[in-house]
mmCIF file of all heavy atoms in Angstrom:
data_model
loop_
_atom_site.group_PDB
_atom_site.id
_atom_site.type_symbol
_atom_site.label_atom_id
_atom_site.label_comp_id
_atom_site.label_asym_id
_atom_site.label_seq_id
_atom_site.Cartn_x
_atom_site.Cartn_y
_atom_site.Cartn_z
ATOM 1 N N HIS A 7 -165.202 80.569 56.899
ATOM 2 C CA HIS A 7 -165.729 79.863 55.733
ATOM 3 C C HIS A 7 -165.507 80.776 54.530
ATOM 4 O O HIS A 7 -166.332 81.638 54.224
ATOM 5 C CB HIS A 7 -167.217 79.572 55.950
ATOM 6 C CG HIS A 7 -167.818 78.647 54.938
ATOM 7 N ND1 HIS A 7 -168.687 77.633 55.272
ATOM 8 C CD2 HIS A 7 -167.673 78.571 53.587
ATOM 9 C CE1 HIS A 7 -169.050 76.978 54.192
ATOM 10 N NE2 HIS A 7 -168.452 77.539 53.143
ATOM 11 N N VAL A 8 -164.375 80.589 53.861
ATOM 12 C CA VAL A 8 -163.960 81.513 52.804
ATOM 13 C C VAL A 8 -163.461 80.740 51.584
ATOM 14 O O VAL A 8 -162.616 79.856 51.708
ATOM 15 C CB VAL A 8 -162.831 82.456 53.291
ATOM 16 C CG1 VAL A 8 -162.426 83.429 52.186
ATOM 17 C CG2 VAL A 8 -163.246 83.204 54.545
ATOM 18 N N HIS A 9 -163.987 81.097 50.418
ATOM 19 C CA HIS A 9 -163.544 80.472 49.166
ATOM 20 C C HIS A 9 -162.755 81.490 48.345
ATOM 21 O O HIS A 9 -163.181 82.629 48.173
ATOM 22 C CB HIS A 9 -164.744 79.976 48.359
ATOM 23 C CG HIS A 9 -165.561 78.962 49.096
ATOM 24 N ND1 HIS A 9 -165.029 77.797 49.562
ATOM 25 C CD2 HIS A 9 -166.865 78.954 49.465
ATOM 26 C CE1 HIS A 9 -165.961 77.094 50.171
ATOM 27 N NE2 HIS A 9 -167.091 77.790 50.145
ATOM 28 N N THR A 10 -161.632 81.053 47.834
ATOM 29 C CA THR A 10 -160.790 81.923 47.012
ATOM 30 C C THR A 10 -160.907 81.517 45.542
ATOM 31 O O THR A 10 -161.736 80.696 45.167
ATOM 32 C CB THR A 10 -159.316 81.835 47.443
ATOM 33 O OG1 THR A 10 -158.750 80.597 46.974
ATOM 34 C CG2 THR A 10 -159.181 81.931 48.948
ATOM 35 N N GLU A 11 -160.037 82.095 44.740
ATOM 36 C CA GLU A 11 -160.004 81.765 43.307
ATOM 37 C C GLU A 11 -159.689 80.283 43.066
ATOM 38 O O GLU A 11 -159.871 79.785 41.955
ATOM 39 C CB GLU A 11 -158.944 82.629 42.619
ATOM 40 C CG GLU A 11 -157.549 82.446 43.209
ATOM 41 C CD GLU A 11 -156.569 83.487 42.709
ATOM 42 O OE1 GLU A 11 -156.501 83.691 41.477
ATOM 43 O OE2 GLU A 11 -155.866 84.092 43.541
ATOM 44 N N TYR A 12 -159.249 79.576 44.115
ATOM 45 C CA TYR A 12 -158.941 78.154 43.967
ATOM 46 C C TYR A 12 -160.162 77.269 44.199
ATOM 47 O O TYR A 12 -160.054 76.037 44.119
ATOM 48 C CB TYR A 12 -157.814 77.756 44.912
ATOM 49 C CG TYR A 12 -156.486 78.374 44.536
ATOM 50 C CD1 TYR A 12 -155.979 79.471 45.242
ATOM 51 C CD2 TYR A 12 -155.750 77.890 43.472
ATOM 52 C CE1 TYR A 12 -154.782 80.061 44.886
ATOM 53 C CE2 TYR A 12 -154.540 78.467 43.112
ATOM 54 C CZ TYR A 12 -154.063 79.554 43.818
ATOM 55 O OH TYR A 12 -152.864 80.126 43.471
ATOM 56 N N SER A 13 -161.310 77.873 44.481
ATOM 57 C CA SER A 13 -162.571 77.124 44.531
ATOM 58 C C SER A 13 -163.240 77.289 43.174
ATOM 59 O O SER A 13 -163.970 78.247 42.931
ATOM 60 C CB SER A 13 -163.487 77.651 45.638
ATOM 61 O OG SER A 13 -163.042 77.237 46.904
ATOM 62 N N LEU A 14 -162.986 76.352 42.296
ATOM 63 C CA LEU A 14 -163.416 76.455 40.905
ATOM 64 C C LEU A 14 -164.930 76.674 40.802
ATOM 65 O O LEU A 14 -165.723 75.941 41.392
ATOM 66 C CB LEU A 14 -163.026 75.175 40.158
ATOM 67 C CG LEU A 14 -162.825 75.284 38.649
ATOM 68 C CD1 LEU A 14 -161.774 76.340 38.330
ATOM 69 C CD2 LEU A 14 -162.435 73.947 38.069
ATOM 70 N N LEU A 15 -165.321 77.705 40.079
ATOM 71 C CA LEU A 15 -166.714 78.061 39.811
ATOM 72 C C LEU A 15 -167.488 78.488 41.063
ATOM 73 O O LEU A 15 -168.704 78.631 41.020
ATOM 74 C CB LEU A 15 -167.458 76.898 39.124
ATOM 75 C CG LEU A 15 -166.871 76.412 37.797
ATOM 76 C CD1 LEU A 15 -167.700 75.252 37.263
ATOM 77 C CD2 LEU A 15 -166.831 77.537 36.778
ATOM 78 N N ASP A 16 -166.785 78.693 42.174
ATOM 79 C CA ASP A 16 -167.489 79.083 43.403
ATOM 80 C C ASP A 16 -166.884 80.322 44.054
ATOM 81 O O ASP A 16 -167.601 81.107 44.649
ATOM 82 C CB ASP A 16 -167.473 77.923 44.400
ATOM 83 C CG ASP A 16 -168.424 78.165 45.565
ATOM 84 O OD1 ASP A 16 -169.638 78.011 45.369
ATOM 85 O OD2 ASP A 16 -167.947 78.521 46.648
ATOM 86 N N GLY A 17 -165.580 80.488 43.969
ATOM 87 C CA GLY A 17 -164.926 81.635 44.594
ATOM 88 C C GLY A 17 -164.157 82.452 43.573
ATOM 89 O O GLY A 17 -163.738 81.941 42.537
ATOM 90 N N SER A 18 -163.968 83.733 43.868
ATOM 91 C CA SER A 18 -163.220 84.591 42.942
ATOM 92 C C SER A 18 -162.200 85.468 43.660
ATOM 93 O O SER A 18 -161.469 86.215 43.013
ATOM 94 C CB SER A 18 -164.179 85.478 42.139
ATOM 95 O OG SER A 18 -164.906 86.318 43.010
ATOM 96 N N ALA A 19 -162.147 85.390 44.996
ATOM 97 C CA ALA A 19 -161.253 86.262 45.758
ATOM 98 C C ALA A 19 -159.793 85.879 45.525
ATOM 99 O O ALA A 19 -159.413 84.722 45.711
ATOM 100 C CB ALA A 19 -161.577 86.171 47.247
ATOM 101 N N LYS A 20 -159.001 86.841 45.104
ATOM 102 C CA LYS A 20 -157.563 86.604 44.952
ATOM 103 C C LYS A 20 -156.916 86.716 46.335
ATOM 104 O O LYS A 20 -157.241 87.610 47.107
ATOM 105 C CB LYS A 20 -156.969 87.608 43.971
ATOM 106 C CG LYS A 20 -157.454 87.406 42.540
ATOM 107 C CD LYS A 20 -156.858 88.447 41.613
ATOM 108 C CE LYS A 20 -157.184 88.125 40.165
ATOM 109 N NZ LYS A 20 -158.635 88.032 39.904
ATOM 110 N N ILE A 21 -156.000 85.831 46.619
ATOM 111 C CA ILE A 21 -155.481 85.701 47.977
ATOM 112 C C ILE A 21 -154.829 86.978 48.492
ATOM 113 O O ILE A 21 -155.116 87.421 49.610
ATOM 114 C CB ILE A 21 -154.516 84.502 48.059
ATOM 115 C CG1 ILE A 21 -155.333 83.212 48.042
ATOM 116 C CG2 ILE A 21 -153.649 84.575 49.316
ATOM 117 C CD1 ILE A 21 -154.534 81.944 48.037
ATOM 118 N N LYS A 22 -153.970 87.598 47.731
ATOM 119 C CA LYS A 22 -153.294 88.810 48.200
ATOM 120 C C LYS A 22 -154.301 89.929 48.466
ATOM 121 O O LYS A 22 -154.174 90.671 49.446
ATOM 122 C CB LYS A 22 -152.231 89.244 47.199
ATOM 123 C CG LYS A 22 -151.009 88.327 47.170
ATOM 124 C CD LYS A 22 -149.925 88.862 46.260
ATOM 125 C CE LYS A 22 -148.698 87.948 46.289
ATOM 126 N NZ LYS A 22 -147.620 88.424 45.391
ATOM 127 N N GLU A 23 -155.293 90.056 47.584
ATOM 128 C CA GLU A 23 -156.308 91.084 47.774
ATOM 129 C C GLU A 23 -157.200 90.769 48.979
ATOM 130 O O GLU A 23 -157.607 91.668 49.719
ATOM 131 C CB GLU A 23 -157.161 91.211 46.510
ATOM 132 C CG GLU A 23 -156.372 91.726 45.313
ATOM 133 C CD GLU A 23 -157.208 91.754 44.044
ATOM 134 O OE1 GLU A 23 -158.417 91.435 44.115
ATOM 135 O OE2 GLU A 23 -156.639 92.072 42.986
ATOM 136 N N LEU A 24 -157.480 89.491 49.185
ATOM 137 C CA LEU A 24 -158.270 89.063 50.341
ATOM 138 C C LEU A 24 -157.565 89.421 51.640
ATOM 139 O O LEU A 24 -158.157 90.011 52.553
ATOM 140 C CB LEU A 24 -158.507 87.556 50.264
ATOM 141 C CG LEU A 24 -159.197 86.903 51.466
ATOM 142 C CD1 LEU A 24 -160.644 87.372 51.577
ATOM 143 C CD2 LEU A 24 -159.131 85.384 51.356
ATOM 144 N N VAL A 25 -156.286 89.082 51.721
ATOM 145 C CA VAL A 25 -155.511 89.360 52.929
ATOM 146 C C VAL A 25 -155.421 90.860 53.182
ATOM 147 O O VAL A 25 -155.548 91.325 54.323
ATOM 148 C CB VAL A 25 -154.103 88.733 52.818
ATOM 149 C CG1 VAL A 25 -153.194 89.231 53.942
ATOM 150 C CG2 VAL A 25 -154.197 87.212 52.837
ATOM 151 N N GLN A 26 -155.231 91.624 52.112
ATOM 152 C CA GLN A 26 -155.142 93.078 52.258
ATOM 153 C C GLN A 26 -156.445 93.662 52.772
ATOM 154 O O GLN A 26 -156.462 94.560 53.615
ATOM 155 C CB GLN A 26 -154.784 93.722 50.908
ATOM 156 C CG GLN A 26 -154.568 95.229 50.971
ATOM 157 C CD GLN A 26 -153.491 95.640 51.965
ATOM 158 O OE1 GLN A 26 -152.447 94.995 52.050
ATOM 159 N NE2 GLN A 26 -153.740 96.695 52.726
ATOM 160 N N ARG A 27 -157.571 93.124 52.291
ATOM 161 C CA ARG A 27 -158.878 93.613 52.738
ATOM 162 C C ARG A 27 -159.111 93.283 54.211
ATOM 163 O O ARG A 27 -159.666 94.102 54.963
ATOM 164 C CB ARG A 27 -159.984 92.992 51.878
ATOM 165 C CG ARG A 27 -161.379 93.485 52.220
ATOM 166 C CD ARG A 27 -161.480 94.990 52.082
ATOM 167 N NE ARG A 27 -162.850 95.450 52.317
ATOM 168 C CZ ARG A 27 -163.166 96.688 52.667
ATOM 169 N NH1 ARG A 27 -162.212 97.608 52.809
ATOM 170 N NH2 ARG A 27 -164.423 97.032 52.862
ATOM 171 N N VAL A 28 -158.686 92.095 54.622
ATOM 172 C CA VAL A 28 -158.771 91.699 56.025
ATOM 173 C C VAL A 28 -157.998 92.688 56.896
ATOM 174 O O VAL A 28 -158.466 93.122 57.952
ATOM 175 C CB VAL A 28 -158.226 90.264 56.222
ATOM 176 C CG1 VAL A 28 -158.059 89.934 57.697
ATOM 177 C CG2 VAL A 28 -159.159 89.256 55.576
ATOM 178 N N LYS A 29 -156.815 93.060 56.418
ATOM 179 C CA LYS A 29 -155.972 94.027 57.135
ATOM 180 C C LYS A 29 -156.673 95.383 57.232
ATOM 181 O O LYS A 29 -156.698 96.008 58.296
ATOM 182 C CB LYS A 29 -154.640 94.177 56.396
ATOM 183 C CG LYS A 29 -153.607 95.026 57.093
ATOM 184 C CD LYS A 29 -152.931 94.269 58.200
ATOM 185 C CE LYS A 29 -151.753 95.066 58.752
ATOM 186 N NZ LYS A 29 -151.106 94.358 59.882
ATOM 187 N N GLU A 30 -157.267 95.825 56.127
ATOM 188 C CA GLU A 30 -157.946 97.119 56.099
ATOM 189 C C GLU A 30 -159.129 97.154 57.072
ATOM 190 O O GLU A 30 -159.425 98.197 57.658
ATOM 191 C CB GLU A 30 -158.453 97.404 54.678
ATOM 192 C CG GLU A 30 -157.346 97.698 53.680
ATOM 193 C CD GLU A 30 -157.874 97.757 52.254
ATOM 194 O OE1 GLU A 30 -159.106 97.546 52.059
ATOM 195 O OE2 GLU A 30 -157.076 98.006 51.341
ATOM 196 N N LEU A 31 -159.786 96.022 57.243
ATOM 197 C CA LEU A 31 -160.954 95.948 58.119
ATOM 198 C C LEU A 31 -160.588 95.776 59.586
ATOM 199 O O LEU A 31 -161.464 95.700 60.454
ATOM 200 C CB LEU A 31 -161.867 94.795 57.673
ATOM 201 C CG LEU A 31 -162.563 94.989 56.321
ATOM 202 C CD1 LEU A 31 -163.278 93.715 55.899
ATOM 203 C CD2 LEU A 31 -163.543 96.161 56.377
ATOM 204 N N GLY A 32 -159.292 95.695 59.866
ATOM 205 C CA GLY A 32 -158.848 95.591 61.245
ATOM 206 C C GLY A 32 -158.950 94.198 61.834
ATOM 207 O O GLY A 32 -158.878 94.035 63.060
ATOM 208 N N MET A 33 -159.136 93.202 61.000
ATOM 209 C CA MET A 33 -159.176 91.823 61.485
ATOM 210 C C MET A 33 -157.752 91.295 61.629
ATOM 211 O O MET A 33 -156.853 91.711 60.894
ATOM 212 C CB MET A 33 -159.980 90.943 60.522
ATOM 213 C CG MET A 33 -161.420 91.371 60.350
ATOM 214 S SD MET A 33 -162.289 90.329 59.157
ATOM 215 C CE MET A 33 -163.901 91.124 59.137
ATOM 216 N N ASP A 34 -157.558 90.372 62.562
ATOM 217 C CA ASP A 34 -156.195 89.875 62.775
ATOM 218 C C ASP A 34 -156.006 88.427 62.345
ATOM 219 O O ASP A 34 -154.932 87.871 62.497
ATOM 220 C CB ASP A 34 -155.787 90.038 64.245
ATOM 221 C CG ASP A 34 -156.694 89.270 65.195
ATOM 222 O OD1 ASP A 34 -157.565 88.508 64.726
ATOM 223 O OD2 ASP A 34 -156.549 89.456 66.422
ATOM 224 N N SER A 35 -157.064 87.804 61.782
ATOM 225 C CA SER A 35 -156.945 86.417 61.334
ATOM 226 C C SER A 35 -158.043 86.106 60.329
ATOM 227 O O SER A 35 -159.072 86.779 60.290
ATOM 228 C CB SER A 35 -157.032 85.456 62.522
ATOM 229 O OG SER A 35 -158.248 85.637 63.222
ATOM 230 N N ILE A 36 -157.816 85.071 59.520
ATOM 231 C CA ILE A 36 -158.815 84.620 58.560
ATOM 232 C C ILE A 36 -158.466 83.204 58.123
ATOM 233 O O ILE A 36 -157.289 82.808 58.129
ATOM 234 C CB ILE A 36 -158.890 85.556 57.328
ATOM 235 C CG1 ILE A 36 -160.112 85.194 56.457
ATOM 236 C CG2 ILE A 36 -157.606 85.517 56.520
ATOM 237 C CD1 ILE A 36 -160.402 86.176 55.347
ATOM 238 N N ALA A 37 -159.502 82.447 57.778
ATOM 239 C CA ALA A 37 -159.302 81.103 57.254
ATOM 240 C C ALA A 37 -159.603 81.091 55.758
ATOM 241 O O ALA A 37 -160.341 81.948 55.254
ATOM 242 C CB ALA A 37 -160.239 80.115 57.953
ATOM 243 N N ILE A 38 -159.015 80.140 55.040
ATOM 244 C CA ILE A 38 -159.504 79.833 53.696
ATOM 245 C C ILE A 38 -159.944 78.376 53.699
ATOM 246 O O ILE A 38 -159.277 77.508 54.274
ATOM 247 C CB ILE A 38 -158.483 80.118 52.572
ATOM 248 C CG1 ILE A 38 -157.206 79.293 52.717
ATOM 249 C CG2 ILE A 38 -158.184 81.591 52.479
ATOM 250 C CD1 ILE A 38 -156.348 79.331 51.461
ATOM 251 N N THR A 39 -161.087 78.136 53.069
ATOM 252 C CA THR A 39 -161.676 76.786 53.062
ATOM 253 C C THR A 39 -162.147 76.466 51.647
ATOM 254 O O THR A 39 -163.352 76.353 51.392
ATOM 255 C CB THR A 39 -162.856 76.708 54.050
ATOM 256 O OG1 THR A 39 -163.815 77.731 53.734
ATOM 257 C CG2 THR A 39 -162.391 76.889 55.479
ATOM 258 N N ASP A 40 -161.201 76.355 50.749
ATOM 259 C CA ASP A 40 -161.562 76.092 49.358
ATOM 260 C C ASP A 40 -162.186 74.713 49.207
ATOM 261 O O ASP A 40 -161.924 73.796 49.983
ATOM 262 C CB ASP A 40 -160.340 76.248 48.452
ATOM 263 C CG ASP A 40 -159.989 77.704 48.224
ATOM 264 O OD1 ASP A 40 -160.911 78.480 47.933
ATOM 265 O OD2 ASP A 40 -158.810 78.070 48.342
ATOM 266 N N HIS A 41 -162.978 74.554 48.172
ATOM 267 C CA HIS A 41 -163.726 73.319 47.946
ATOM 268 C C HIS A 41 -162.813 72.161 47.546
ATOM 269 O O HIS A 41 -162.218 72.164 46.469
ATOM 270 C CB HIS A 41 -164.774 73.533 46.850
ATOM 271 C CG HIS A 41 -166.037 74.141 47.343
ATOM 272 N ND1 HIS A 41 -166.854 73.524 48.268
ATOM 273 C CD2 HIS A 41 -166.649 75.310 47.040
ATOM 274 C CE1 HIS A 41 -167.908 74.279 48.509
ATOM 275 N NE2 HIS A 41 -167.806 75.375 47.791
ATOM 276 N N GLY A 42 -162.695 71.178 48.429
ATOM 277 C CA GLY A 42 -162.043 69.921 48.091
ATOM 278 C C GLY A 42 -160.562 69.991 47.832
ATOM 279 O O GLY A 42 -159.938 68.972 47.495
#
């Protein structure tokens, strides 16, 4: 359950930075679930 900068007024995570952070944390997968 993840909102990015494409969830207007709700998310602020930039996609490239989000993916990089996932990599740094040792996770191997992630979903994006932007609003509508």
Side-chain angles (χ1 to χ4, degrees):
H7 190 137
V8 181
H9 300 302
T10 75
E11 58 191 311
Y12 292 103
S13 285
L14 206 57
L15 302 179
D16 192 76
S18 61
K20 292 179 172 58
I21 285 177
K22 288 185 178 179
E23 294 176 4
L24 174 68
V25 169
Q26 184 57 41
R27 183 58 176 158
V28 169
K29 186 78 172 178
E30 290 171 359
L31 292 172
M33 299 178 182
D34 60 7
S35 58
I36 190 171
I38 61 167
T39 55
D40 284 313
H41 277 297

